[in-house]
Amino acid sequence: MGYTLAQKIIKAHLVSGDMTPGSDIALKIDQTLTQDATGTMAYLEFETMGIPRVRTELSVAYIDHNTLQSGFENADDHRFIQSMAKKYGLYFSRPGNGICHQVHLERFGKPGKTLIGSDSHTPTGGGIGMLAMGAGGLDVAVAMGGGAYHITMPKMYKVNLTGKLKDFVTAKDVSLEILRILSVKGGVGAIIEWGGPGAATLTVPERATITNMGAELGATTSIFPSDEVTKAFLEAQGRGEDYVPLASDPDAEYDKVIDIDLSKLKPLIACPHSPDNIVTVESLKGTRVDQVCIGSCTNSSLYDMLKVAALLKGKTIRPEVSLSISPGSRQVLSMLADCGALSDIIASGARVLECACGPCIGMGFSPNSGGVSLRTFNRNFEGRSGTANGQVYLVSPETAVAAALTGEITDPTLLGEMPEVEIPEAFKIDDSGIIPPADPGDADSVEILRGPNIKPFPQSRPQEDDLEAELVLKVGDNITTDHIMPAGAKILPYRSNIPHLSQYCFGVCDETFPDRAKAAGQSFIVGGSNYGQGSSREHAALVPLYLGVRAVITKSFARIHVANLINAGIMPLTFKYPCDYEKVNQGDMLKLSGVYSGMDRGEMTLTNVTTGENIPLVCSFTDRQKDILKAGSLLAYVAKENEDV
Ligand code: MIC
Ligand code: SF4
């Protein structure tokens, strides 16, 4: 039996483990990336490892999330990250240079290489045939130090594309279609390979839109073959030498095959508050729109922006609508300026924002009260926009423009003819926004610049054999990390200050949680299925740790979050029978006995001390995960391993 594309890259990077789905595998990581909202913590963690210089082929520190500097905090963090990059051998992408995933695709990504990033949309790199995965900051820190990245060997899904997209139907609609088919948990435990004859009709930016939003499926990653389209993109970026052809073997086998005929798709829209809440744009026609935002790592390429500019050219947006446009990188912005497309955008009445995440993570441009906001982004979780009752819909750039021009949700095919958009043969190369590290010989003299906002991170405790604590919070299905640890302009500046952040933990669900958890001393959380979906932020584990949470019991977990819980020393357990979720109530006293032997057996009994009922739980920790939990955290485990060497 032949190999799939992802299996080939895994095989070439396998450090340990066997490639049977469900087994623990360790991979050598060639490249890492961080962004500033997760980076500060990741570099603090890296620092504690005492490694003088990163041991990857390439590591890049991007500044793109916390760019609204309404106090000293973000600017201090940027200086800290910049000094860390200089000293420890990383490239530093300055604020304004662009969104990490867009810049990485343009300037650094290489087919066939492995990349992990402390951001869940790192799979964007799959658009050029990389095995690119989102991870917690601590996992990225370990990889920067030359350590392997541990994952569960995924199943292989294939999406077989046929046909060609019609005008006004886009790669974003393909992403929304696969979310409609699979849902936000349909990709958990799988790598999604996109191929088939239709794949050749998609450009690299279109492919990257699709692999980017694979994160919303919960997939380990998504990947396209590296082919003539990839080659042309890399050559246009002046990086033709990075091209290698890569495809799956003709006899490769997949656990699931999904067929999508591109020519049959219609413009789609994800309704509040989940990316898989999909209907056709047509079915919502006439819905009033207050705000439109175009950009984010999903839809901010030059190709997207040129289409937007061409559709806006000579037109004016409706007076009731506020339109923001954030190009994905300085390369995109500068090329838009050079060809005059930026003037068309400005003339339409759009507000041009800097090349950064911006509104996508609630860093400004929050909608009005109860406002309807159409966004070309990838997530529309409740409250994420910064307006608690904002109604966020996810759409393609074409559908976004149609709404900005008409003031209502409008099928973009009604805009008339799609203007011809020419992608230049060569991109404008100017890497002056990327600062190289100091030479190894000069690294000692580089001073690390720390601001007062950097507070020590919480102390983990080794897992105890018996654990009795209160169930302080019971939540439902599909809880996102934006519920657990909200982001936004007010909170994000405190990503290196866990005590301050802790006041906002679970604020969207229950504002009393932080105080109640602190008062309880140690506690349990119970959740439904797909708990922890969404971002890679390890703060969604570190903050509960700080508040005394010792174990989280759910019907199922999302991949990156479960790893972050273990890395922080919080035990993730699942109900053996999902219906037992009903047998515990907030406020009950719960007891776990024989934790160590239970971890080995893969089964534990939870006693509801309040009702007297016994509830079977399951866990499937690898030996390494058990050792991490017993040591108290991944950091403690790594320190112990270094001592033992
Ligand atoms: C997101 O899109 O939710 C973020 C903000 O980029 C996060 C990272 C973070 O919380 O810092 C992600 O996707 O991992
Ligand atoms: Fe930034 Fe939004 Fe992309 Fe996250 S999803 S990296 S916040 S643009």
Side-chain angles (χ1 to χ4, degrees):
M1 189 185 80
Y3 288 105
T4 70
L5 171 53
Q7 284 167 340
K8 286 185 187 182
I9 305 179
I10 291 175
K11 191 161 175 277
H13 290 83
L14 198 64
V15 175
S16 66
D18 83 88
M19 289 172 49
T20 324
S23 319
D24 176 57
I25 54 166
L27 296 176
K28 175 185 174 297
I29 296 303
D30 301 320
Q31 299 190 350
T32 64
L33 70 80
T34 56
Q35 38 91 336
D36 46 340
T38 52
T40 309
M41 191 57 77
Y43 294 112
L44 288 169
E45 290 162 343
F46 177 74
E47 212 179 15
T48 66
M49 293 176 194
I51 291 164
R53 208 166 168 89
V54 291
R55 294 179 179 151
T56 48
E57 288 173 14
L58 172 93
S59 287
V60 190
Y62 291 91
I63 305 294
D64 53 0
H65 282 61
N66 286 353
T67 52
L68 195 69
Q69 291 155 226
S70 53
F72 64 90
E73 294 87 355
N74 290 341
D76 277 5
D77 279 356
H78 297 169
R79 276 159 54 93
F80 167 72
I81 294 175
Q82 182 165 1
S83 62
M84 285 295 292
K86 188 171 181 189
K87 190 176 183 76
Y88 290 101
L90 294 94
Y91 285 81
F92 176 75
S93 174
R94 306 181 68 154
N97 194 50
I99 305 175
C100 55
H101 309 304
Q102 177 64 28
V103 177
H104 208 84
L105 192 76
E106 290 168 358
R107 308 303 308 139
F108 295 114
K110 292 185 185 178
K113 296 284 181 185
T114 51
L115 162 72
I116 64 168
S118 59
D119 192 281
S120 63
H121 290 102
T122 305
T124 311
I128 49 169
M130 293 191 94
L131 192 77
M133 293 163 286
L138 189 45
D139 280 319
V140 176
V142 169
M144 287 193 289
Y149 179 49
H150 287 254
I151 55 167
T152 303
M153 179 67 198
K155 290 179 280 186
M156 300 289 143
Y157 291 177
K158 167 93 186 261
V159 184
N160 189 36
L161 296 173
T162 53
K164 192 172 182 320
L165 291 170
K166 291 193 297 242
D167 280 353
F168 294 105
V169 185
T170 70
K172 181 58 161 281
D173 300 298
V174 180
S175 293
L176 298 176
E177 171 68 359
I178 191 75
L179 274 154
R180 188 188 67 76
I181 298 171
L182 288 178
S183 89
V184 287
K185 44 185 189 225
V188 175
I191 291 182
I192 302 180
E193 180 183 321
W194 292 77
T201 68
L202 298 173
T203 62
V204 162
E206 291 176 299
R207 294 173 177 191
T209 293
I210 293 172
T211 54
N212 172 284
M213 271 196 88
E216 276 51 69
L217 298 162
T220 304
T221 189
S222 303
I223 189 165
F224 271 84
S226 171
D227 56 10
E228 289 302 311
V229 175
T230 324
K231 184 167 179 238
F233 175 82
L234 288 170
E235 280 171 353
Q237 288 287 354
R239 302 201 289 123
E241 70 285 0
D242 290 341
Y243 172 70
V244 281
L246 279 172
S248 54
D249 290 329
D251 56 344
E253 282 183 10
Y254 296 88
D255 298 278
K256 190 180 270 193
V257 178
I258 296 162
D259 292 305
I260 296 182
D261 181 349
L262 296 172
S263 63
K264 296 239 165 72
L265 293 182
K266 288 183 165 181
L268 297 173
I269 183 164
C271 303
H273 299 286
S274 181
D276 62 355
N277 204 356
I278 310 286
V279 295
T280 60
V281 172
E282 199 184 3
S283 69
L284 293 184
K285 73 166 188 260
T287 308
R288 174 190 52 83
V289 172
D290 301 294
Q291 186 191 62
V292 175
C293 304
I294 300 178
S296 93
C297 56
T298 316
N299 280 118
S300 60
S301 65
L302 181 66
Y303 180 55
D304 281 332
M305 293 293 156
L306 287 175
K307 283 191 297 176
V308 166
L311 287 168
L312 287 174
K313 191 178 171 123
K315 301 192 178 118
T316 314
I317 59 167
R318 295 285 306 181
E320 323 73 66
V321 178
S322 184
L323 169 66
S324 78
I325 302 213
S326 341
S329 68
R330 221 161 57 103
Q331 181 183 75
V332 173
L333 178 58
S334 168
M335 289 181 78
L336 287 175
D338 289 353
C339 73
L342 187 60
S343 301
D344 297 331
I345 291 175
I346 295 169
S348 74
R351 290 165 65 181
V352 180
L353 308 184
E354 70 177 322
C355 305
C357 302
C360 179
I361 193 55
M363 267 286 158
F365 224 79
S366 300
N368 52 298
S369 303
V372 170
S373 179
L374 257 61
R375 302 178 158 211
T376 66
F377 307 167
N378 46 40
R379 292 185 172 146
N380 58 347
F381 302 144
E382 198 172 0
R384 181 176 160 103
S385 66
T387 299
N389 60 2
Q391 303 294 308
V392 177
Y393 294 76
L394 306 176
V395 294
S396 70
E398 280 81 335
T399 304
V401 172
L405 292 175
T406 60
E408 41 189 56
I409 296 180
T410 303
D411 189 321
T413 50
L414 299 176
L415 289 180
E417 284 226 339
M418 183 68 204
E420 197 68 37
V421 168
E422 291 274 317
I423 294 288
E425 272 180 20
F427 290 93
K428 185 172 174 182
I429 312 298
D430 169 9
D431 287 335
S432 57
I434 300 170
I435 303 175
D439 288 336
D442 300 333
D444 277 354
S445 60
V446 177
E447 188 199 342
I448 299 301
L449 306 173
R450 258 171 257 271
N453 192 36
I454 294 183
K455 298 281 183 275
F457 38 84
Q459 284 302 310
S460 55
R461 273 192 286 157
Q463 266 318 321
E464 285 133 17
D465 202 33
D466 290 311
L467 182 62
E468 183 163 341
E470 184 188 331
L471 170 51
V472 284
L473 188 71
K474 184 177 175 185
V475 287
D477 288 342
N478 291 323
I479 287 294
T480 70
T481 51
D482 279 279
H483 290 105
I484 306 171
M485 197 53 253
K490 292 194 195 89
I491 307 179
L492 272 173
Y494 298 97
R495 282 289 180 90
S496 50
N497 183 344
I498 299 289
H500 183 90
L501 271 190
S502 70
Q503 306 166 53
Y504 305 97
C505 188
F506 274 110
V508 188
C509 306
D510 178 351
E511 280 180 349
T512 66
F513 168 74
D515 285 342
R516 291 189 300 101
K518 266 197 197 151
Q522 55 175 13
S523 56
F524 287 101
I525 290 177
V526 163
S529 57
N530 202 25
Y531 179 90
Q533 67 158 327
S535 86
S536 67
R537 62 190 74 147
E538 60 187 333
H539 305 77
L542 293 174
V543 170
L545 171 72
Y546 172 82
L547 291 171
V549 176
R550 306 287 290 143
V552 180
I553 305 166
T554 68
K555 293 183 191 169
S556 67
F557 287 95
R559 178 186 75 90
I560 306 177
H561 186 61
V562 82
N564 285 340
L565 286 174
I566 295 171
N567 289 351
I570 298 178
M571 205 165 31
L573 299 165
T574 40
F575 291 105
K576 185 166 183 184
Y577 307 110
C579 55
D580 283 349
Y581 168 86
E582 305 301 337
K583 292 187 179 161
V584 290
N585 291 308
Q586 195 163 304
D588 287 352
M589 279 307 285
L590 305 179
K591 186 171 178 188
L592 279 173
S593 322
V595 168
Y596 280 25
S597 60
M599 281 201 236
D600 288 335
R601 276 198 320 278
E603 285 206 359
M604 271 179 223
T605 302
L606 177 76
T607 306
N608 186 336
V609 180
T610 307
T611 63
E613 249 176 311
N614 282 335
I615 301 162
L617 303 179
V618 284
C619 52
S620 54
F621 301 125
T622 62
D623 288 342
R624 177 174 177 270
Q625 289 173 331
K626 284 180 221 163
D627 289 342
I628 293 173
L629 287 168
K630 286 176 191 167
S633 70
L634 178 55
L635 269 185
Y637 168 81
V638 171
K640 193 166 171 296
E641 269 205 325
N642 290 345
E643 260 168 38
D644 294 348
V645 174

